[in-house]
Amino acid sequence: MALAEDENGLAIGLFNGLEVSFPGTQAKDLYGDVLMIVPGHKIASRLIRQKSRHNTLLFTEQCDQLCVMCSQPPKRIQDQWRLRFYKEAVRLADPGITIGISGGEPTMQRELFFDLIQDISENRPDIGLHILTNAQHFVDADIPILKRIHERTDVLWGVPLYAPNAEIHDRVVNKDGAFEILMPNFYRLASAQAKIELRTVLTGLNYPALPKLADLISKDLFFIKVWAIMGLEPIGFAKAFMGDLFVDHSAFFDPLEHALDIAAKRRLVTTLYNIPLCTVPARYRKYCADTISDWKKKFVPECESCSQRSSCTGFFEWYNNDWAYAGVHSLGQTGEAL
Ligand code: SF4
């Protein structure tokens, strides 16, 4: 595609005689990006942005779970057509970057999914992968295939586990039997030498059970690479169930504190994702990581005078007073409240 700019510097693409516009995008911001343009579907997507640390391929919008707080609710659409473009997009990516693969649930399209990750592993072993999966669809026969992939490619598998028992976990993911399927699949992944980032979103349903979950993970899933405890994203299904789901950890930190203490004692590596620094007590801020993607991150008025802003994850763009953490406050150089 030939890229030109209009009198305001905005990008105009010329592709097979078609003019493609990129509303509000400067041409210089597209240099080095990998775009997918499908005239038949009237789609132009920036699959890989050269300047972003957060490139994710939406593999499919289908999913077999219906998590109560899903930020990207699944759709029953046939979207396999775009998967064939992903191989090409990854081959064009800059060296050494990490690309996310998410959904929906990527393993709903098992054959295409394995085809993609095998292709990346064989042709671009320099590319790291961060794959989000509910781990409901692995079988023993996958173990040798995954093992070969892991020998060449750095893959981090982000797998959610919401509770220490089926009762709560299955309720969160809205699928009977999900917990029973998930637990052996952790062992299948581990047998394939997978690096696992175990992900737990904080909701009102699982918050009280967090210390028990820390206990279970540190005893039965001690082989995981990291336990990511995540702040809820106030969008998608979560908006419909706000009353049940929103929990203000800054006002009631005890379950999180106990969980972090159990994990530390058992040497489980733990991280807090999407959680602003000022909303946790000072001695637990070392766990907070800057994880909210640049395109959906914002700061609030309290952040203007805060000295920790550059290392703070901030808030999701859709954070608002309905979900406000009581503990948000500016911090000084040594982390003291201003
Ligand atoms: S006030 Fe500071 S620590 Fe709190 S959310 Fe804003 S930038 Fe982060």
Side-chain angles (χ1 to χ4, degrees):
M1 182 183 71
L3 195 60
E5 52 186 71
D6 68 9
E7 62 279 14
N8 300 314
L10 296 179
I12 304 169
L14 293 170
F15 176 74
N16 283 354
L18 289 173
E19 194 174 297
V20 184
S21 63
F22 299 90
T25 306
Q26 298 279 315
K28 64 179 169 48
D29 291 336
L30 289 176
Y31 297 150
D33 288 2
V34 180
L35 308 177
M36 177 179 75
I37 298 169
V38 191
H41 289 267
K42 296 196 168 144
I43 281 178
S45 300
R46 288 167 85 179
L47 291 183
I48 300 175
R49 296 171 190 234
Q50 191 175 53
K51 295 192 186 84
S52 177
R53 289 189 294 131
H54 303 283
N55 284 302
T56 296
L57 302 175
L58 180 71
F59 193 75
T60 173
E61 296 194 61
Q62 298 169 25
C63 189
D64 57 323
Q65 297 188 157
L66 214 52
C67 298
V68 285
M69 70 305 195
C70 182
S71 59
Q72 190 129 18
K75 296 179 187 153
R76 281 190 195 152
I77 54 172
Q78 293 305 319
D79 48 11
Q80 293 95 323
W81 61 267
R82 64 178 163 196
L83 305 182
R84 67 194 158 96
F85 295 100
Y86 288 174
K87 271 188 199 171
E88 194 57 30
V90 175
R91 288 188 191 189
L92 292 169
D94 284 341
I97 65 167
T98 295
I99 294 176
I101 297 178
S102 78
E105 170 49 44
T107 59
M108 292 290 284
Q109 306 285 347
R110 270 182 56 89
E111 247 175 65
L112 292 165
F113 170 72
F114 274 98
D115 187 37
L116 175 68
I117 60 174
Q118 280 178 293
D119 188 81
I120 295 171
S121 184
E122 280 159 23
N123 296 296
R124 290 298 306 270
D126 59 300
I127 301 275
L129 295 176
H130 185 197
I131 300 171
L132 302 186
T133 174
N134 61 23
Q136 293 287 298
H137 304 280
F138 294 117
V139 294
D140 285 344
D142 296 334
I143 294 172
I145 300 169
L146 292 171
K147 222 179 210 169
R148 271 197 302 280
I149 291 170
H150 296 145
E151 278 161 13
R152 294 175 65 94
T153 302
D154 187 17
V155 185
L156 183 63
W157 295 86
V159 183
L161 174 64
Y162 295 117
N165 56 54
E167 189 193 341
I168 304 175
H169 179 84
D170 291 1
R171 191 168 157 214
V172 173
V173 303
N174 257 314
K175 180 179 169 185
D176 288 342
F179 184 86
E180 293 302 320
I181 297 172
L182 177 58
M183 293 307 280
N185 276 341
F186 279 122
Y187 299 114
R188 289 193 175 98
L189 283 169
S191 306
Q193 270 93 53
K195 283 201 271 180
I196 300 171
E197 174 199 54
L198 197 143
R199 298 162 77 97
T200 304
V201 177
L202 298 179
T203 74
L205 302 178
N206 62 354
Y207 195 55
L210 214 56
K212 280 196 178 141
L213 181 57
D215 186 53
L216 174 117
I217 295 168
S218 56
K219 284 181 179 158
D220 296 349
L221 302 175
F222 55 87
F223 48 80
I224 63 162
K225 183 175 165 60
V226 59
W227 181 24
I229 301 175
M230 307 170 67
L232 181 69
E233 193 167 348
I235 197 171
F237 283 163
K239 289 204 294 194
F241 304 107
M242 192 186 80
D244 286 337
L245 297 183
F246 177 59
V247 60
D248 184 353
H249 60 271
S250 73
F252 178 44
F253 195 66
D254 294 32
L256 188 46
E257 177 175 348
H258 290 155
L260 290 170
D261 288 347
I262 291 168
K265 226 173 258 166
R266 308 231 175 106
R267 296 173 191 240
L268 190 69
V269 178
T270 309
T271 312
L272 298 177
Y273 286 4
N274 317 336
I275 293 192
L277 288 167
C278 57
T279 64
V280 306
R283 90 180 168 94
Y284 293 93
R285 284 183 200 143
K286 64 182 180 196
Y287 293 106
C288 295
D290 178 3
T291 43
I292 297 181
S293 305
D294 42 11
W295 60 272
K296 56 180 176 179
K297 180 202 289 274
K298 74 172 179 185
F299 288 95
V300 297
E302 288 89 336
C303 308
E304 274 164 32
S305 55
C306 180
S307 69
Q308 306 297 315
R309 181 173 163 145
S310 62
S311 52
C312 181
T313 195
F315 301 86
F316 287 106
E317 184 59 43
W318 20 91
Y319 172 87
N320 58 50
N321 283 340
D322 294 341
W323 309 76
Y325 298 127
V328 175
H329 58 275
S330 302
L331 298 175
Q333 288 297 345
T334 54
E336 78 283 11
L338 290 180

